[in-house]
Structure formats: C-alpha cells, structure tokens
Amino acid sequence: MTTLVTPAVPGPGQDPYPSLQPGGAPSLQPGLLPGSVPPDVPAAGRPRGWWRRNAVWLVLLPIAVVVTTAASSFRVWAFWWPDGVHYESQRVALGEPAHLASEYLDMGFDVPERANTYVLRELDATVTGVEKVDELPAPAYGMPVEIPEGSVAYEVQLHFAAEPQTDLSLCAIALVSDDGTRYGEAAPDVLGNSNRCLPDGADGFVSEQPEWDVSSFVLVDPDATIEQVRLSFGGPDYLAVELP
Amino acid sequence: MRHGRRRITWKGSLLVVGGVVAGCALVTTVPQETVVETPFVVEGAVGETLDLTYADLTVTEVRVADTLESFSEAAQAGGTFVVVDATWRATQGATSFVGAEITDAEGRTFWPTDQAGCSTSAKAQPGYAWHVTYCFDVPKDALAGATVRLARGGQTEEHAGQRRDAAGVVDLGISAEDAKTLWEATETVTTESPGYATARAEGSEE
Amino acid sequence: MKHARNGSPDIAFRVGRRVVSAVADDMSTMQRVGAGVVAALVAVTPFGAWSKVEAQADPVVAGTAIEVGPFDLTVVRAVKTGDLGYLTPAPGNHMLALVVDVTNTSDVPEYSSTLGSAIPAPRGVDVVPQESLTDLATNLDTDLDTDPGAGAGTEPGAEPSPSASPEDESEAEEPELPPASIVNVADATTMRILNPGVTYQVALIWQQSDEFTGSEIPVEVVGLDWIDESRLTLDNGYWLPGEVAFQGDVPLKDNTDRTPAPEDQQ
C-alpha cells in the first residue's frame, strides 16, 4: 500500500502529515470517508513556536523598555540635575589654582545688556588657606557676631582672577567634613554676607577688579574634620579643593 | 496567532477573575500605607535631644501664654498659646524645617501661628544650633497629654512631606492637673526672634 | 489586535441591544418615548439632578449660630469704619467689617481663607471690586509710561468711583469682588490658621464705596462641601464652596466718625 496523497513539495525534513504512518493506512480526519482528500490542506512547514511567532515583538520589547525609561526619566535632567550641587567637575589641592568655566543664563540684574542671554562664566579660583579662627571680624553691615556656643569658626581664604563684570551670584563656599556634612553651603554666611565670592560690602553680584581676595567664615561642629572645600555657582558642578 | 472568533472559556474567565481577586487581596492585606508613607517617628521628652538623621532636635522649653508680645505686634490667644522653644542642629547640609504640629490626646491637630514673632518653620545649617519659638493656639481640653511633632517635612496633606522621613514627636509633659493651672494662668510671653541657641537662662532675654 | 478588541465590549453591546429590542419591540411610539424619558431621568439621578430643588437658603440672623463646613459661626454685627488696624481705605471708600464668632469644630486646622470662601463679599452694596488681571496689566503699563513712583495698588481705588463704573460699561458681567481680609478682633492681627476647638471673633473686611448709604447689608454664607478627592484635579481633602446655604440682611452700624476699631464695643 502506498500513501494516498503525495505532497507536491515535501516540507524540509518534516512530513506534512505526521499522522500518516509509513506503511500503514492513513488515519482519517473525522467525517471523511476513506479515500477522500481532506478539503483544506494545511500549509506545509513546521508549526512555528511561540518565540518565532512573536519574534517582532520580542525584538521591539527591549527598545520599548529603553524608550519608556528615557521618556519617564526626563525629570532627572529637567528637574534634578540642574537643581543642586552634585557633580565634581575638578579636583585640585590647596593652593593650586583652578580654571572654572561654565555657562549660565544671565537675568541682567547687574549688567542689563546681558539680560536673558547665556553667558560663559570664566574665572580662576585658588583656595589659599583654611584655618580655624577664634573670633569673627566685624561684618560690613549690622552688629558684630560672636561664635555661638558649641561651634567653631573656620576662615576660608580664596584668590580670584576674572575679567571685571563677571557674574558671581549663587557663589557657595562649603566645607565638607570626613562624614560628608556640608558646612556653610547656603547663603548668607555667618556674617550676613550674601555673596561670599566678592569682597565684604560689595554691592551687586559682579566683580569689579581683575584680581581679588576673599575671606569667608563658616561655622563648623567642634569635632568635625574638614577634608574638602567646595566652590560652586549654583551647580550642578563644583570645584573640590582637597585639604592636606 | 489563532484566527477565527475567540471563545470565552471557563478557563480564561477564571484566570482573569482569579487575577483580579488576587490583586485585590494583595492590595487589601499588605498595608501599603505603612510601607510607603509611615514616617520614622523618634519620640522623646522636653529637654531630650532627638537624632532625626538630618538634624538633632531639642525641645528646650514649653510655656503657655494668653498674650504674646514682640516688638511689632501683640497677639491674644483664642484658647491659650502653647509656646514651644526648640533648637535645630542640622547634620547633613543646609535644611529647612517645615513641619510643626501639636496633637492632643483626642488626636486633634493644631498648627502654629506666625503672629507676634513666632516661627512656623526654620532654616539652619550644620555647625551650629538654631533656636526657634513655635506658638500654637489651642483650646483648654487640648493641653493635657499633648505632643508636638517637629520635622523637616511639612504636615499638610496628611504628613505628605514626612513620608519615609524622620519626624520628632515630643511629649509636652502636661498632666491633667497641670492643664488646669496652665489654663488659668494669664501669662504674657515676649517672643524671641530665631537665632543661635545659647545656654539661656529661664525665660526670655532681649 | 482585531480579535483582542472585540471581546467583551462586543458582548456587552449585543446583550444591551437584545434587552432593548426585547423591551421595545412590542411598544407603541408613545410608549417608547415614555420609556426613553424614564430611562433618561433615572440616568441623571446620580449626578445630582434633583438636589437643586431642595437647595433652599436658610436665613442668616445676627446672633444665631449656623454650621458651615468645619465651622460653627455666628454673625455678630456689620460695621462700617474708617481705618481698621493696618487696613486703610482709599479716598472715597470706607471699610466694611462683618464681625463673626467662629469655631473650627473639625479635628484639623483650617486656613482662614476657607472661612473667607464661605462668606463672599456682599453683593450690590458697592463693595470695591477686585482688580482684574487686565486692569492690573493696564495699570502697570500706564505706570511704566508715566511715573513709576505712583503706587499701582492705591491708584485704582482713587479713580473716579470704581464701584460705579461696572454698571456703566456692562450690565451682564458682574465685577469679581475680592475675598475678605480676615482679622482677629481681639488683637487686630491677621488670622491665618483656625485651630480646632478654639473660638475666635474675627472681622471679615472689605472696602466699600462711600456712595453706599444703606443701613443693611445682604450677607450670604456659602455651604462648604468636603472633597475627598477631586475627580477633575485629583486634589484631595479640601472644602469646596458650593451653593448659598444661608442668607439674610444684617443691620449695618456706622462707625466711620469714630477712629477705634469695632472691637471695643462689645
């Protein structure tokens, strides 16, 4: 006995009628008389597995994951990244000058012609000394300030060089201790000075001289070990100055 | 993909219904609020220093007053003012302390007033202790057993600002008898503006 | 995709059509119209279609306590005066103060602005309207053009009777009246927080034109509805001003010739 139907094109390595037993009578589909041809011949080829059938989606899945993550993470760069100081752009030793250059949007408060333009802030900064002091100098405005009980005061000395009219607003000089505590990061400082990067009593937020020195005072816990000075202008990047 | 009309099968329906039931059961049995929202409450008493990780908090003194006076304004209590003196010592970086709330024995809550030089919030940096005076206008029956809750996160919208963050809760130490005498006393407190905390003598200096 | 979509909505639709056709098939047109109307009435019921019928404002009587949202309040009196603490009327105006005893009966503090939203400015009695944003913009513009020294805030009050102008220009649009400044009568300080269980006597203060000479002001108290979660904004837990719940005329005392604030005449 031979088979009743011979496939015109045999499937690759696969019998299209697995139910046909070689050398035996073909088992028929229900309702078919022996000898008749099944009306709807299923397409030849091996039934594709789940992975094959969904291959396109499987390829698209990792792409979709990447796209959705990127879409929902816009807050990281839109809100978190520009707000705060969290990127160490440079690290120098005490006394070593650092060249800082960063762009910011000028509001034109001090130099009206720069209003609403992006300006490159370029300056050389050197932290020349960090010392514990026993008393605070008289502030430019207001009553003298005593070092409060349970605190010690540090004087941070800096030297700046920049073209006059360089905007130094949002200047922050923070002392970082070995446990990561950031002392004095917010303005105004202990003497009520709202811009630490300009000489005491300067009005406005732009530099006037090509070079100048600044002394900034910070209150610190008595048992803290200061390891680093951080200089920043609103972030997100900051200059780290390692203390010996 | 299968072609033709898709059948609604018992198996499929059971799977869907079972999945929904399982999800509901999970949501109701696992207390999500306590996991997601509960602040880390640090409890203490007046005079004790509480470690809130981001700051050390000390409630230094609790007073009552009918009248509060500052150099610019005098405020009269509708009930009585509970005047809470506290010091904040930030331990991580510059911090705003926004939360200030009194809870009475019944669970009612009271917020501070900004009248007469009283503070409703504070800002401080590490390296020093910062003294703040909070004033709460409360009724007589709120005094006994009241606690004050101070934190960097705000208490509005069911303590939303304090979720998964530390909050200090300090028992004001007012007993029922204390409450009576405190209520009857007609004190005037001259408020101090916030400033560096010193080992101050009793009362106010200025 | 196509197969996934016509799962259950299809079934719901077919079942719905079956039901409708089974009910409507042997109905006359009139019956169908009647059934349609009944169905529509049933459908609008959950959306508060009938609540307006019962919304009937109760009277406001000076000295009688009413309950509004979290507050128990009693209108004490209405007074017109000159200066009131730090509040000074613009020339041609005086201060209108509605003195109210208020207790927050809830368990949580309320902002005084919630109380302010429950008692809007009396209408039709020449309360100086709020400067609209467009007015403000024109004010700023003219200020910039002419002299920046003149205060933008006080100027519009002094302009030729601002309360009369709305009637001239448009009859349909009523000017928006400002929310009250809320002051504690006991010490003339601004109230910001109303703590639970504490009773305050507060004054709700507006500026009123001197042109008003009546002896009564109409007071409306708006009901406050607690919104657990707003379906629109998803904001949760606040009091939403609703319909006018109480209204009445309160006699107006004239204290304009006296300088002291109303607190000394208890």
Side-chain angles (χ1 to χ4, degrees):
Chain A
M1 271 263 220
T2 53
T3 52
L4 289 169
V5 181
T6 313
V9 186
Q14 171 85 27
D15 192 337
Y17 296 106
S19 55
L20 282 185
Q21 283 128 29
S27 61
L28 292 167
Q29 291 184 10
L32 283 184
L33 293 169
S36 58
V37 177
D40 194 8
V41 182
R46 170 169 163 254
R48 295 186 299 160
W50 187 88
W51 294 95
R52 287 288 296 279
R53 274 184 283 129
N54 293 296
V56 176
W57 307 116
L58 286 168
V59 169
L60 284 179
L61 187 65
I63 299 170
V65 168
V66 169
V67 167
T68 47
T69 311
S72 59
S73 65
F74 81 98
R75 287 177 163 266
V76 173
W77 63 260
F79 298 111
W80 178 80
W81 179 253
D83 180 38
V85 177
H86 34 237
Y87 169 60
E88 184 185 300
S89 59
Q90 263 187 85
R91 180 181 287 239
V92 294
L94 184 70
E96 195 184 323
H99 182 76
L100 302 176
S102 59
E103 234 180 32
Y104 70 97
L105 176 66
D106 202 298
M107 303 306 286
F109 292 135
D110 287 285
V111 187
E113 51 272 26
R114 290 206 299 239
N116 295 317
T117 54
Y118 281 92
V119 178
L120 183 69
R121 178 196 291 113
E122 244 183 310
L123 72 157
D124 291 313
T126 318
V127 175
T128 51
V130 177
E131 272 164 39
K132 206 182 266 191
V133 291
D134 292 331
E135 57 182 12
L136 298 170
Y141 307 104
M143 302 281 284
V145 183
E146 276 183 32
I147 298 172
E149 257 173 72
S151 303
V152 293
Y154 277 76
E155 179 180 6
V156 187
Q157 290 156 335
L158 296 103
H159 178 79
F160 288 107
E163 263 183 46
Q165 301 279 66
T166 300
D167 191 292
L168 297 167
S169 50
L170 300 177
C171 156
I173 297 167
L175 297 180
V176 184
S177 71
D178 53 352
D179 62 356
T181 308
R182 304 176 305 278
Y183 294 95
E185 62 178 352
D189 68 3
V190 59
L191 297 178
N193 189 352
S194 56
N195 194 334
R196 299 182 173 201
C197 287
L198 286 172
D200 209 5
D203 43 289
F205 289 88
V206 292
S207 64
E208 286 162 1
Q209 307 293 324
E211 287 192 35
W212 70 99
D213 287 304
V214 155
S215 243
S216 193
F217 295 86
V218 177
L219 293 179
V220 170
D221 288 328
D223 53 351
T225 315
I226 301 301
E227 285 190 333
Q228 201 183 68
V229 182
R230 277 184 194 172
L231 175 67
S232 62
F233 294 91
D237 51 333
Y238 63 87
L239 164 71
V241 180
E242 290 294 315
L243 301 187
Chain B
M1 216 173 268
R2 249 189 303 165
H3 286 265
R5 199 166 273 284
R6 206 167 251 209
R7 290 274 180 82
I8 296 172
T9 59
W10 280 112
K11 217 174 127 189
S13 320
L14 249 159
L15 226 96
V16 171
V17 172
V20 170
V21 168
C24 291
L26 200 73
V27 167
T28 42
T29 51
V30 178
Q32 290 175 82
E33 276 104 53
T34 54
V35 176
V36 182
E37 295 179 0
T38 317
F40 301 100
V41 172
V42 183
E43 292 185 351
V46 177
E48 230 176 282
T49 298
L50 307 182
D51 180 3
L52 305 184
T53 22
Y54 52 82
D56 291 336
L57 165 69
T58 317
V59 171
T60 50
E61 201 186 350
V62 177
R63 295 170 280 177
V64 293
D66 279 354
T67 310
L68 295 172
E69 272 180 12
S70 67
F71 62 93
S72 61
E73 198 174 63
Q76 264 172 41
T80 190
F81 284 118
V82 174
V83 181
V84 176
D85 290 293
T87 58
W88 285 106
R89 196 174 184 115
T91 51
Q92 293 176 341
T95 311
S96 292
F97 304 100
V98 179
E101 181 183 61
I102 277 184
T103 308
D104 73 357
E106 286 173 46
R108 292 184 295 177
T109 53
F110 305 89
W111 290 350
T113 175
D114 57 359
Q115 292 164 300
C118 296
S119 299
T120 56
S121 65
K123 270 184 184 178
Q125 302 195 51
Y128 57 84
W130 190 249
H131 167 258
V132 202
T133 304
Y134 301 98
C135 311
F136 303 84
D137 198 351
V138 303
K140 182 183 182 181
D141 52 359
L143 284 172
T147 57
V148 67
R149 177 180 180 129
L150 301 170
R152 70 173 167 188
Q155 67 265 0
T156 51
E157 295 182 25
E158 295 167 11
H159 303 99
Q162 297 171 10
R163 284 178 196 164
R164 307 298 288 166
D165 198 15
V169 172
V170 174
D171 192 338
L172 299 181
I174 302 173
S175 67
E177 296 99 74
D178 291 346
K180 220 174 178 187
T181 45
L182 288 174
W183 178 259
E184 278 157 12
T186 51
E187 306 267 331
T188 297
V189 165
T190 306
T191 55
E192 245 176 285
S193 42
Y196 295 113
T198 48
R200 283 165 311 120
E202 202 80 333
S204 54
E205 45 169 6
E206 202 158 33
Chain C
M1 288 306 263
K2 203 178 161 199
H3 310 291
R5 208 182 294 156
N6 57 17
S8 68
D10 186 36
I11 281 181
F13 178 71
R14 277 188 294 159
V15 168
R17 210 171 56 173
R18 281 268 174 87
V19 171
V20 168
S21 57
V23 174
D25 265 356
D26 32 67
M27 277 183 169
S28 69
T29 314
M30 279 309 288
Q31 280 173 321
R32 283 184 192 181
V33 169
V37 168
V38 169
L41 292 181
V42 170
V44 297
T45 302
F47 303 102
W50 318 117
S51 53
K52 225 175 201 161
V53 178
E54 56 196 81
Q56 190 61 258
D58 290 324
V60 168
V61 180
T64 307
I66 54 177
E67 212 174 292
V68 180
F71 303 118
D72 259 5
L73 42 100
T74 311
V75 173
V76 179
R77 63 184 163 265
V79 187
K80 61 175 178 177
T81 67
D83 284 13
L84 260 178
Y86 64 95
L87 297 163
T88 314
N93 297 334
H94 58 257
M95 287 306 188
L96 171 67
L98 183 69
V99 180
V100 170
D101 284 339
V102 59
T103 312
N104 175 2
T105 54
S106 75
D107 289 344
V108 290
E110 287 297 336
Y111 292 107
S112 64
S113 55
T114 309
L115 175 66
S117 66
I119 308 182
R123 261 185 274 235
V125 290
D126 292 341
V127 169
V128 177
Q130 198 165 30
E131 277 176 64
S132 68
L133 284 175
T134 48
D135 286 351
L136 212 69
T138 50
N139 277 331
L140 288 173
D141 279 344
T142 51
D143 267 17
L144 285 175
D145 292 341
T146 56
D147 57 332
T154 52
E155 277 307 299
E159 296 292 320
S161 62
S163 51
S165 55
E167 283 122 273
D168 304 341
E169 43 193 55
S170 72
E171 59 295 315
E173 204 167 318
E174 256 186 79
E176 193 157 330
L177 298 178
S181 307
I182 299 180
V183 164
N184 188 354
V185 169
D187 54 15
T189 56
T190 304
M191 293 295 299
R192 215 172 55 82
I193 299 285
L194 296 163
N195 273 336
V198 186
T199 303
Y200 297 97
Q201 187 159 83
V202 301
L204 292 100
I205 300 167
W206 300 273
Q207 247 187 81
Q208 192 179 33
S209 167
D210 281 345
E211 285 176 16
F212 177 77
T213 50
S215 59
E216 276 187 341
I217 55 158
V219 173
E220 281 181 351
V221 181
V222 167
L224 297 173
D225 303 313
W226 179 250
I227 304 294
D228 235 5
E229 183 175 88
S230 162
R231 270 179 237 164
L232 265 179
T233 63
L234 296 182
D235 287 339
N236 52 7
Y238 62 95
W239 291 98
L240 181 75
E243 305 275 320
V244 173
F246 302 92
Q247 67 191 142
D249 290 333
V250 175
L252 183 62
K253 268 188 191 166
D254 188 353
N255 283 358
T256 38
D257 45 345
R258 297 175 29 170
T259 26
E263 64 256 36
D264 53 4
Q265 44 140 27
Q266 292 294 347

